[in-house]
Amino acid sequence: MKTVAISIGDLNGIGIQLALEDHDAICKLVTPLYCIDMGMLKQAAQKLNITIPHDFQTIENIAPHFEIEAGKVSKESGAYAYASFTTAVELAREKKVDAICTLPIHKKAWENAGVNYKGHTDALRDFFDAEAIMMLGCEKMYVALFTEHIPLKKVASSINEKDLTRFLIDFYNTARPTLTVGVLGLNPHAGDDGVLGDEEVVIQRAIDNANLTIRHTSTSSVNIQKSVAEPVEAYSNPLVPDVAFTPNVRKNYTHYVAMYHDQGLAPLKALYFDEGINVSLNLPILRTSVDHGTAFDIAYTGCPLNNLSYINAIKYIKESL
């Protein structure tokens, strides 16, 4: 059975409750190694009134201890969450575990702790000097984001032929979709032939470049040839964003590429919020995550948690290795 390091997330949130309550279910899929020390684990378990499973494997000397305060944004919880994450990454880098799964952090807590990254993917990109790709979703539909956590006003200027071409090629080679991938245009009506914007011209050029490269590669790669058979292209032409996720269009795609965060994630979460996961592609390690936040409003209240995202994140690892 594969070993997975679980980054515990922000201890003022719901991550530790998920880890404790779903330990037995996770152990049926992988062998979890939790990046939390016994002192902080006992404090959290006591506050939650949950018994710690006898085979709950932990790691000592993660970060300084602090008093857990449910639902509070604090630099101490941010520092611990970041240290838990980096511990998991190093275990994977050193091949002491087969993959990592991250429970939810609070970005402001990271910032308060002096962490210079906006999130896990941003950090992984720097740790491995690699162009990590953020893909979210579930088996029914995955969405990759060309731009991620940037202001909306910067999206259009971020779309250029070179970077988007590289992104499309990298995404195809790491996600290995079996159907053509739907690429969203940026503008309303995908620009209406330039009437409502011309970014689709750049997007189309990048699509053409990627399709050509993948088509050429397929002649010498058995694996890729099996993924997208001729004459089906790897990528669609720019899709009109407001109809791309309608039922009839979704019949044609399992994977999409969105130009910006909310363009792809608003429809994804409207359709599959409870079951979605986050996957970091194009890295030397495999990392998955739940696709929800710290839920500070219900942390340590005894409120039942939906564990589907967490279970699916672990299942993705099991099925990928």
Side-chain angles (χ1 to χ4, degrees), residues 31 51 65 71 90 93 108 112 116 135 153 155 160 166 172 179 242 257 271 296 305 315:
T31 299
T51 301
H65 288 193
E90 287 309 305
R93 191 197 295 270
K108 189 63 178 180
N112 289 349
N116 293 321
M135 182 182 78
K153 65 182 179 181
V155 170
N160 63 81
R166 174 198 50 75
Y172 178 79
L179 298 176
D242 66 357
V257 171
L271 291 164
F296 276 174
L305 302 182
K315 282 182 177 179

Side-chain angles (χ1 to χ4, degrees), residues 66-298:
F66 65 97
E67 182 66 26
I68 294 172
E69 297 181 78
K72 181 179 179 181
V73 178
S74 75
K75 65 179 182 180
E76 291 82 8
S77 64
Y80 200 97
Y82 181 69
S84 176
F85 169 58
T86 57
T87 298
V89 170
E90 287 309 305
L91 288 169
R93 191 197 295 270
E94 296 168 5
K95 301 191 182 306
K96 294 180 179 178
V97 298
D98 298 290
I100 72 173
C101 180
T102 56
L103 291 171
I105 63 161
H106 196 287
K107 290 179 174 58
K108 189 63 178 180
W110 269 26
E111 181 182 281
N112 289 349
V115 177
N116 293 321
Y117 303 111
K118 297 183 185 300
H120 294 112
T121 308
D122 188 30
L124 289 167
R125 203 171 274 129
D126 190 40
F127 293 168
F128 293 101
D129 191 24
E131 294 295 337
I133 293 173
M134 183 185 291
M135 182 182 78
L136 301 99
C138 58
E139 285 187 355
K140 299 169 188 173
M141 187 175 85
Y142 285 107
V143 178
L145 304 179
F146 176 59
T147 64
E148 298 163 6
H149 299 126
I150 65 171
L152 190 57
K153 65 182 179 181
K154 294 183 179 180
V155 170
S157 62
S158 299
I159 298 173
N160 63 81
E161 182 179 349
K162 179 181 177 182
D163 289 343
L164 184 54
T165 297
R166 174 198 50 75
F167 178 94
L168 294 175
I169 294 170
D170 287 347
F171 175 65
Y172 178 79
N173 287 335
T174 52
R176 296 300 174 94
T178 56
L179 298 176
T180 296
V181 177
V183 180
L184 302 183
L186 176 67
N187 297 297
H189 301 201
D192 258 351
D193 293 324
V195 175
L196 302 177
D198 59 6
E199 284 79 12
E200 282 70 23
V201 174
V202 177
I203 295 170
Q204 184 67 64
R205 287 202 297 262
I207 289 170
D208 292 342
N209 294 340
N211 281 339
L212 181 62
T213 298
I214 292 165
R215 199 180 307 124
H216 284 170
T217 306
S218 70
T219 62
S220 58
S221 172
V222 174
N223 288 334
I224 292 180
Q225 195 169 18
K226 286 182 178 179
S227 294
V228 176
E230 296 290 356
V232 177
E233 295 284 19
Y235 288 100
S236 73
N237 292 332
L239 300 174
V240 175
D242 66 357
V243 298
F245 296 100
T246 56
N248 280 338
V249 177
R250 292 205 317 274
K251 292 176 184 177
N252 301 311
Y253 306 105
T254 56
H255 293 68
Y256 289 86
V257 171
M259 292 300 109
Y260 61 94
H261 188 277
D262 289 5
Q263 183 190 48
L265 299 194
L268 174 65
K269 293 189 177 185
L271 291 164
Y272 304 117
F273 178 77
D274 288 335
E275 56 200 288
I277 67 172
N278 186 336
V279 183
S280 295
L281 298 172
N282 207 37
L283 290 170
I285 69 167
L286 176 58
R287 173 256 173 174
T288 67
S289 176
V290 296
D291 185 22
H292 60 71
T294 52
F296 276 174
D297 57 323
I298 60 171

Side-chain angles (χ1 to χ4, degrees), residues 21-58:
E21 288 183 342
D22 296 302
H23 173 70
D24 289 344
I26 296 303
C27 285
K28 294 176 182 178
L29 301 169
V30 299
T31 299
L33 176 59
Y34 300 95
C35 296
I36 181 174
D37 64 76
M38 189 54 69
M40 291 303 296
L41 176 62
K42 286 180 177 178
Q43 183 189 160
Q46 184 178 23
K47 289 178 181 291
L48 288 164
N49 195 27
I50 296 176
T51 301
I52 300 171
H54 68 90
D55 57 348
F56 200 95
Q57 295 186 64
T58 60

